Amino acid sequence: MNEEMKIEKLMIYGFGKHENLALDVNEELAVFYGNNEAGKTTIQQFIIQILFGFPSRNQAESRYEPKAGGKYGGQLYLNDSQYGKVIVERVKGKAAGDVTVYFEDGSRGAETELKKILRDYDRASFDAIFSFSIHELQGLDKMTEEQLSRTLLASGTTGVDSITKMESELEKDMGELFKKGGRNPRMNLLIEQLRNDERELKEHRGQADLYGPFVERMDGLDSSLKGLMERENSISELLSIITKRQQAAPIAERKRQLEEQLASLSIDFFPADGSRRMDRLSERISDASAKMKQAEKELAALPEIETAGTSGDALAEMLEKESQWLRFLSQYRNMEEEAEKLKYELGGQLGLAGMALNEALTFDTSLINEEKLRNLAVEADREEENSRFRERDLQEEKQKLIEAEKEMSYLESIAPTPEQVETAAKWPENALKLAEAKAMKRLGAEPANQLFPLILAAIGAAGVLAGFLSDNILVAIIAFAAVAAGVMLFMKTRQKPVSMDEDLEEVIKRFSGKEAEMESLQHRIAEHDRKVEETLRIISKADQKIEELTTNRDVQPAKKEFTAFIENIGITSSASSSIVIELFQTVRKVQELHSKLQRIEEFLKNAEIEKADWIRAAAAATGKNVQAGEMYTVLRAESKKFNEVNDRNQRHSEKREALKEDVERQAGYLQELEKEKDELLKESGAANMEQFHQFHLEWLHKKELEQEFGLVSSQWRAIGAAEPEEGETGNSLKEHMNELERELSEIRKERNQILNERAELQQKVNHLLTNQDYELKLQKYEEKKAEFNKLAFRWSVDKAIIEAIRSTMAELKEKSLPAVLSKACEYFGRLTGNSYIAMEIHPDGHFEAVRKDNIRFRIAELSQATKEQAYLALRLSLAVSMQKSHPFPIIMDDPFVHFDRLRLQQVINLIKELQTDHQFIYFTCHEDMCQAWPEAQVIDVANTGRSVYL
């Protein structure tokens, strides 16, 4: 019986535009016809949603709740080959609706029973195989080749849609996590951030090493500033001279007055820019003095060097040997355990051997003795085995002789008599005579049967007549021969009987009726003679064999040699050779165990001495009494304490040295500044600072007068009071002045840059002393690194799942798809009028159609209608292949409207064949499709009853 589920009736309470509507579906093919908006799709969705549940309100599918209110839902009458007639009712309730299943026997069920009826299928799986529409076929033309191949593959296998969706989602997730050459994925961003953080951390580590170079650079900048300021002063003076020469006044009076004033001043020299230099020296002396005092204060505040009570070298040396100590302890314990095991095993072996240790140690268990013992044992065993074989053969031969003698006695007791032997010997001759006598008696004594020859002659005459009438010469000749035979037999029966002599009468009288008895007697005598001859042969052979086996029966030289050898090596056992060899091996095992135990005990004695040396060394290094179990715990604690004291002392020593160097540097710097100050005083001719400032004021006054004098002189020369220098003009003076001003501007710009650089260096030095950004950046770097590892693990998991999905897809192609594809090829050929003979999967995963001339086309290269036929062939093939496990109706929503008449007829012919095992429900708005199936049940949706339009 074929598995089939058939929909027999639809009872719609309220669903979309339909209300209180009952529709009987009586045929294997039902066509629901109606114009657009007639409610065909509503009925299709009613079937699917009653079976699989109403969609939730947040899903994309419509729930088709009646707009005018009323009861929502309905009933679906099913006839299932497994569950019989079933009514599935679903009404409004929870999200998917409340379902009740009514069975033939009056029992009821709910969602669980419905799942069993639906073979645990969900809506997505049902739609993927048993329900499709024109929209799916139209979408084939817009797909890429890969999408089209995947769609065809999903049409030929179950569950592939969900797998491919998962694969796409995982690929999308992987793309969001990481993409080669990408910038926006999270892992790409983290990689870039980690690189930047690594650069920043490297810069921070590099900056920490720049403290000394920064200080040296600041000293160099100070020297450069000094040189720039000297050059600036020189240029300023030169500009001043040029300016004075431009502004010289021709007023002689003013010149004279100025000359008198200049003559009245006693100072003749003052260092260039001496006041400014003295101010800068004073500032530097004050700054250096303050720094030296601060360094001296910090130096005085440093604690004294701590002393450690242990030897750091000894501790370090002991800690370096910790692995040796652990190996030593492990080896020591292993040896102790090995010694115990050996003692136990030695006792067991001695008990097994049944002797004392001293006795076992006296044995010579050399390999030479073992080899000789084994060879002798093999020879003795072989000799013993041969002896047993001879004894067994001897007994067997004796038994054969006894039996043969018994048989001979029996044969003699049943031997035939001489008369019987003679009778049997003459029977062949008498048998021939008896046969001849019987034949002659039959010919002479039996009455002649004359009827048979007459009948034979009559039949022959009729045959001759028939042959001549039918012109069949062969029949006439055969019939004539029959007439002749009948006449001859008739004439023979009329002859007189043959007479017999007296010897033949005697033979008949003596042997008639005794043929079987004579044959039996002859056979019995022959069989008796044969048995006697066979028995005599067996007796002769047995006597000969017994004589051979009894010769040298008790000679066993190998056994004697084996016994003598084991007695020679000290074994007096009379056990079998295998036991003796086992005893020999046990004694050797005892000797080996005793030797090994002695070596281990010697090692343990030496190990105790070494262990004591270790403990003494640890006590010397720590200054404490230590136990073996806690030795390295104490050593590590003392080493940690020593290292902490040493580190503090090291830091304090380094800082003390740095501060001493700073004090010395500042002191030297102060000396240089004082020396420079004294040189400046000496250069100015002042004895002290007060006199220096007084000289400076006088010098400034003189300079002002000289400047004014120069101005007046210039002006005077300009009006012709004095001749200008050769080649000197106003423009040349102006150009020279502009050049000097540009140079002065560059010098000042360079000085400002140096000052800015020095300020930055000073800030960096101060920042290096107080900066904690490095630790914060390092912490953030580790956090980002941990996040990256987590994302990388997630990316790896997605990659592994995708590879598993691809492996599953490959397995589906190799196992599940071929059976479906074989049937699909048959359907595809029929649907295309045998224009195409097969569909195949190319190794790269794409579908190909094989034309009847064996030319292959990728599915994307085919026409839209041929693609649709390939899709239909795979869908129908999969549905047919699942007919036994999932015998659902096939629901189609106008998928063939774009087929030409020939293609449509091919589809119709195929569906007619398939509807014997499947119910087909077809929804269409084209009247031609109703006429295409003249035997189908056509249901006009527009005239089915009351409707409430939306």
Side-chain angles (χ1 to χ4, degrees), residues 850-874:
V850 182
R851 206 166 62 186
K852 60 183 179 181
D853 55 1
N854 286 325
I855 297 178
R856 286 169 168 75
F857 297 88
R858 289 180 177 255
I859 292 296
E861 298 174 346
L862 302 177
S863 66
Q864 173 67 13
T866 309
K867 292 177 188 175
E868 294 175 3
Q869 287 174 330
Y871 183 82
L872 288 173
L874 283 166

mmCIF file of all heavy atoms in Angstrom, residues 850-874:
data_model
loop_
_atom_site.group_PDB
_atom_site.id
_atom_site.type_symbol
_atom_site.label_atom_id
_atom_site.label_comp_id
_atom_site.label_asym_id
_atom_site.label_seq_id
_atom_site.Cartn_x
_atom_site.Cartn_y
_atom_site.Cartn_z
ATOM 1 N N VAL A 850 22.913 18.532 -19.743
ATOM 2 C CA VAL A 850 23.547 17.807 -20.851
ATOM 3 C C VAL A 850 22.514 17.645 -21.964
ATOM 4 O O VAL A 850 21.471 16.998 -21.777
ATOM 5 C CB VAL A 850 24.069 16.429 -20.391
ATOM 6 C CG1 VAL A 850 24.765 15.727 -21.554
ATOM 7 C CG2 VAL A 850 25.004 16.586 -19.208
ATOM 8 N N ARG A 851 22.787 18.264 -23.114
ATOM 9 C CA ARG A 851 21.881 18.152 -24.256
ATOM 10 C C ARG A 851 22.034 16.783 -24.893
ATOM 11 O O ARG A 851 22.997 16.064 -24.625
ATOM 12 C CB ARG A 851 22.184 19.268 -25.250
ATOM 13 C CG ARG A 851 20.978 19.657 -26.109
ATOM 14 C CD ARG A 851 21.210 20.970 -26.814
ATOM 15 N NE ARG A 851 22.340 20.897 -27.736
ATOM 16 C CZ ARG A 851 22.811 21.946 -28.389
ATOM 17 N NH1 ARG A 851 22.247 23.129 -28.227
ATOM 18 N NH2 ARG A 851 23.844 21.826 -29.187
ATOM 19 N N LYS A 852 21.089 16.408 -25.736
ATOM 20 C CA LYS A 852 21.109 15.066 -26.303
ATOM 21 C C LYS A 852 22.315 14.827 -27.214
ATOM 22 O O LYS A 852 22.671 13.679 -27.482
ATOM 23 C CB LYS A 852 19.820 14.792 -27.069
ATOM 24 C CG LYS A 852 19.551 15.739 -28.246
ATOM 25 C CD LYS A 852 18.209 15.432 -28.881
ATOM 26 C CE LYS A 852 17.885 16.371 -30.041
ATOM 27 N NZ LYS A 852 16.566 16.073 -30.637
ATOM 28 N N ASP A 853 22.961 15.910 -27.675
ATOM 29 C CA ASP A 853 24.194 15.747 -28.452
ATOM 30 C C ASP A 853 25.427 15.790 -27.546
ATOM 31 O O ASP A 853 26.553 15.981 -28.025
ATOM 32 C CB ASP A 853 24.300 16.825 -29.527
ATOM 33 C CG ASP A 853 24.195 18.223 -28.944
ATOM 34 O OD1 ASP A 853 24.067 18.349 -27.700
ATOM 35 O OD2 ASP A 853 24.250 19.200 -29.712
ATOM 36 N N ASN A 854 25.203 15.635 -26.204
ATOM 37 C CA ASN A 854 26.260 15.561 -25.182
ATOM 38 C C ASN A 854 27.011 16.873 -25.004
ATOM 39 O O ASN A 854 28.107 16.893 -24.443
ATOM 40 C CB ASN A 854 27.264 14.442 -25.489
ATOM 41 C CG ASN A 854 26.688 13.068 -25.207
ATOM 42 O OD1 ASN A 854 25.913 12.903 -24.258
ATOM 43 N ND2 ASN A 854 27.041 12.096 -26.021
ATOM 44 N N ILE A 855 26.451 17.960 -25.458
ATOM 45 C CA ILE A 855 27.029 19.278 -25.170
ATOM 46 C C ILE A 855 26.479 19.735 -23.828
ATOM 47 O O ILE A 855 25.272 19.669 -23.580
ATOM 48 C CB ILE A 855 26.692 20.294 -26.281
ATOM 49 C CG1 ILE A 855 27.330 19.827 -27.611
ATOM 50 C CG2 ILE A 855 27.184 21.679 -25.903
ATOM 51 C CD1 ILE A 855 27.018 20.735 -28.777
ATOM 52 N N ARG A 856 27.378 20.247 -22.958
ATOM 53 C CA ARG A 856 26.991 20.646 -21.603
ATOM 54 C C ARG A 856 26.826 22.153 -21.524
ATOM 55 O O ARG A 856 27.634 22.904 -22.093
ATOM 56 C CB ARG A 856 28.037 20.180 -20.583
ATOM 57 C CG ARG A 856 27.973 18.683 -20.322
ATOM 58 C CD ARG A 856 29.163 18.201 -19.521
ATOM 59 N NE ARG A 856 28.977 16.854 -19.028
ATOM 60 C CZ ARG A 856 29.056 15.760 -19.762
ATOM 61 N NH1 ARG A 856 29.324 15.880 -21.062
ATOM 62 N NH2 ARG A 856 28.856 14.561 -19.238
ATOM 63 N N PHE A 857 25.761 22.571 -20.825
ATOM 64 C CA PHE A 857 25.483 23.988 -20.618
ATOM 65 C C PHE A 857 25.363 24.244 -19.121
ATOM 66 O O PHE A 857 24.725 23.479 -18.406
ATOM 67 C CB PHE A 857 24.187 24.418 -21.308
ATOM 68 C CG PHE A 857 24.224 24.268 -22.799
ATOM 69 C CD1 PHE A 857 23.854 23.072 -23.404
ATOM 70 C CD2 PHE A 857 24.635 25.322 -23.587
ATOM 71 C CE1 PHE A 857 23.889 22.938 -24.773
ATOM 72 C CE2 PHE A 857 24.666 25.194 -24.958
ATOM 73 C CZ PHE A 857 24.305 23.991 -25.564
ATOM 74 N N ARG A 858 25.985 25.314 -18.654
ATOM 75 C CA ARG A 858 25.726 25.724 -17.276
ATOM 76 C C ARG A 858 24.276 26.185 -17.173
ATOM 77 O O ARG A 858 23.714 26.721 -18.134
ATOM 78 C CB ARG A 858 26.668 26.848 -16.849
ATOM 79 C CG ARG A 858 28.115 26.369 -16.673
ATOM 80 C CD ARG A 858 29.014 27.503 -16.260
ATOM 81 N NE ARG A 858 30.367 27.033 -16.033
ATOM 82 C CZ ARG A 858 30.912 26.863 -14.843
ATOM 83 N NH1 ARG A 858 30.200 27.130 -13.771
ATOM 84 N NH2 ARG A 858 32.159 26.435 -14.711
ATOM 85 N N ILE A 859 23.702 25.982 -16.007
ATOM 86 C CA ILE A 859 22.288 26.297 -15.834
ATOM 87 C C ILE A 859 22.020 27.766 -16.160
ATOM 88 O O ILE A 859 20.977 28.106 -16.736
ATOM 89 C CB ILE A 859 21.843 25.968 -14.385
ATOM 90 C CG1 ILE A 859 21.874 24.443 -14.163
ATOM 91 C CG2 ILE A 859 20.448 26.480 -14.105
ATOM 92 C CD1 ILE A 859 20.906 23.678 -15.028
ATOM 93 N N ALA A 860 22.961 28.641 -15.822
ATOM 94 C CA ALA A 860 22.754 30.071 -16.086
ATOM 95 C C ALA A 860 22.695 30.375 -17.578
ATOM 96 O O ALA A 860 22.187 31.434 -17.977
ATOM 97 C CB ALA A 860 23.878 30.882 -15.432
ATOM 98 N N GLU A 861 23.203 29.477 -18.423
ATOM 99 C CA GLU A 861 23.201 29.700 -19.864
ATOM 100 C C GLU A 861 21.893 29.276 -20.516
ATOM 101 O O GLU A 861 21.680 29.545 -21.693
ATOM 102 C CB GLU A 861 24.363 28.934 -20.505
ATOM 103 C CG GLU A 861 25.742 29.381 -20.013
ATOM 104 C CD GLU A 861 26.849 28.499 -20.549
ATOM 105 O OE1 GLU A 861 26.522 27.417 -21.069
ATOM 106 O OE2 GLU A 861 28.034 28.897 -20.461
ATOM 107 N N LEU A 862 21.020 28.579 -19.784
ATOM 108 C CA LEU A 862 19.780 28.080 -20.362
ATOM 109 C C LEU A 862 18.727 29.182 -20.422
ATOM 110 O O LEU A 862 18.815 30.221 -19.760
ATOM 111 C CB LEU A 862 19.259 26.906 -19.524
ATOM 112 C CG LEU A 862 20.204 25.702 -19.361
ATOM 113 C CD1 LEU A 862 19.568 24.669 -18.458
ATOM 114 C CD2 LEU A 862 20.544 25.101 -20.709
ATOM 115 N N SER A 863 17.685 28.912 -21.198
ATOM 116 C CA SER A 863 16.571 29.845 -21.256
ATOM 117 C C SER A 863 15.797 29.816 -19.941
ATOM 118 O O SER A 863 15.935 28.895 -19.133
ATOM 119 C CB SER A 863 15.643 29.485 -22.418
ATOM 120 O OG SER A 863 15.034 28.222 -22.165
ATOM 121 N N GLN A 864 14.964 30.838 -19.737
ATOM 122 C CA GLN A 864 14.194 30.916 -18.487
ATOM 123 C C GLN A 864 13.295 29.690 -18.333
ATOM 124 O O GLN A 864 13.211 29.098 -17.250
ATOM 125 C CB GLN A 864 13.364 32.209 -18.480
ATOM 126 C CG GLN A 864 12.394 32.341 -17.310
ATOM 127 C CD GLN A 864 13.105 32.486 -15.986
ATOM 128 O OE1 GLN A 864 14.306 32.727 -15.963
ATOM 129 N NE2 GLN A 864 12.378 32.310 -14.908
ATOM 130 N N ALA A 865 12.630 29.277 -19.400
ATOM 131 C CA ALA A 865 11.706 28.134 -19.303
ATOM 132 C C ALA A 865 12.468 26.852 -18.990
ATOM 133 O O ALA A 865 12.013 26.023 -18.197
ATOM 134 C CB ALA A 865 10.932 27.986 -20.619
ATOM 135 N N THR A 866 13.655 26.661 -19.576
ATOM 136 C CA THR A 866 14.438 25.448 -19.307
ATOM 137 C C THR A 866 14.950 25.443 -17.873
ATOM 138 O O THR A 866 15.001 24.401 -17.221
ATOM 139 C CB THR A 866 15.608 25.347 -20.290
ATOM 140 O OG1 THR A 866 15.115 25.499 -21.630
ATOM 141 C CG2 THR A 866 16.296 23.996 -20.173
ATOM 142 N N LYS A 867 15.330 26.635 -17.361
ATOM 143 C CA LYS A 867 15.718 26.714 -15.944
ATOM 144 C C LYS A 867 14.561 26.284 -15.053
ATOM 145 O O LYS A 867 14.733 25.544 -14.081
ATOM 146 C CB LYS A 867 16.131 28.142 -15.580
ATOM 147 C CG LYS A 867 17.401 28.635 -16.224
ATOM 148 C CD LYS A 867 17.634 30.087 -15.837
ATOM 149 C CE LYS A 867 18.777 30.705 -16.610
ATOM 150 N NZ LYS A 867 18.913 32.144 -16.320
ATOM 151 N N GLU A 868 13.346 26.775 -15.397
ATOM 152 C CA GLU A 868 12.171 26.431 -14.596
ATOM 153 C C GLU A 868 11.913 24.928 -14.656
ATOM 154 O O GLU A 868 11.542 24.297 -13.645
ATOM 155 C CB GLU A 868 10.960 27.214 -15.094
ATOM 156 C CG GLU A 868 11.073 28.720 -14.866
ATOM 157 C CD GLU A 868 9.918 29.485 -15.485
ATOM 158 O OE1 GLU A 868 9.001 28.832 -16.044
ATOM 159 O OE2 GLU A 868 9.912 30.727 -15.428
ATOM 160 N N GLN A 869 12.110 24.342 -15.821
ATOM 161 C CA GLN A 869 11.895 22.896 -15.939
ATOM 162 C C GLN A 869 12.913 22.126 -15.100
ATOM 163 O O GLN A 869 12.574 21.108 -14.481
ATOM 164 C CB GLN A 869 11.991 22.490 -17.413
ATOM 165 C CG GLN A 869 10.776 22.942 -18.224
ATOM 166 C CD GLN A 869 10.940 22.655 -19.699
ATOM 167 O OE1 GLN A 869 12.054 22.645 -20.206
ATOM 168 N NE2 GLN A 869 9.848 22.452 -20.392
ATOM 169 N N ALA A 870 14.165 22.593 -15.067
ATOM 170 C CA ALA A 870 15.170 21.949 -14.217
ATOM 171 C C ALA A 870 14.777 22.049 -12.745
ATOM 172 O O ALA A 870 14.893 21.094 -11.973
ATOM 173 C CB ALA A 870 16.538 22.582 -14.449
ATOM 174 N N TYR A 871 14.292 23.234 -12.356
ATOM 175 C CA TYR A 871 13.857 23.447 -10.966
ATOM 176 C C TYR A 871 12.688 22.525 -10.624
ATOM 177 O O TYR A 871 12.660 21.871 -9.564
ATOM 178 C CB TYR A 871 13.462 24.914 -10.815
ATOM 179 C CG TYR A 871 13.060 25.325 -9.429
ATOM 180 C CD1 TYR A 871 14.017 25.630 -8.478
ATOM 181 C CD2 TYR A 871 11.713 25.423 -9.074
ATOM 182 C CE1 TYR A 871 13.651 26.019 -7.199
ATOM 183 C CE2 TYR A 871 11.350 25.812 -7.802
ATOM 184 C CZ TYR A 871 12.317 26.108 -6.875
ATOM 185 O OH TYR A 871 11.956 26.491 -5.611
ATOM 186 N N LEU A 872 11.688 22.433 -11.534
ATOM 187 C CA LEU A 872 10.527 21.570 -11.303
ATOM 188 C C LEU A 872 10.937 20.108 -11.229
ATOM 189 O O LEU A 872 10.438 19.344 -10.398
ATOM 190 C CB LEU A 872 9.497 21.778 -12.417
ATOM 191 C CG LEU A 872 8.734 23.105 -12.412
ATOM 192 C CD1 LEU A 872 7.885 23.212 -13.663
ATOM 193 C CD2 LEU A 872 7.862 23.213 -11.173
ATOM 194 N N ALA A 873 11.872 19.701 -12.120
ATOM 195 C CA ALA A 873 12.305 18.305 -12.124
ATOM 196 C C ALA A 873 12.934 17.927 -10.794
ATOM 197 O O ALA A 873 12.664 16.867 -10.229
ATOM 198 C CB ALA A 873 13.301 18.072 -13.267
ATOM 199 N N LEU A 874 13.763 18.824 -10.246
ATOM 200 C CA LEU A 874 14.415 18.529 -8.957
ATOM 201 C C LEU A 874 13.391 18.529 -7.828
ATOM 202 O O LEU A 874 13.422 17.668 -6.942
ATOM 203 C CB LEU A 874 15.510 19.561 -8.691
ATOM 204 C CG LEU A 874 16.802 19.342 -9.475
ATOM 205 C CD1 LEU A 874 17.689 20.561 -9.410
ATOM 206 C CD2 LEU A 874 17.551 18.135 -8.944
#
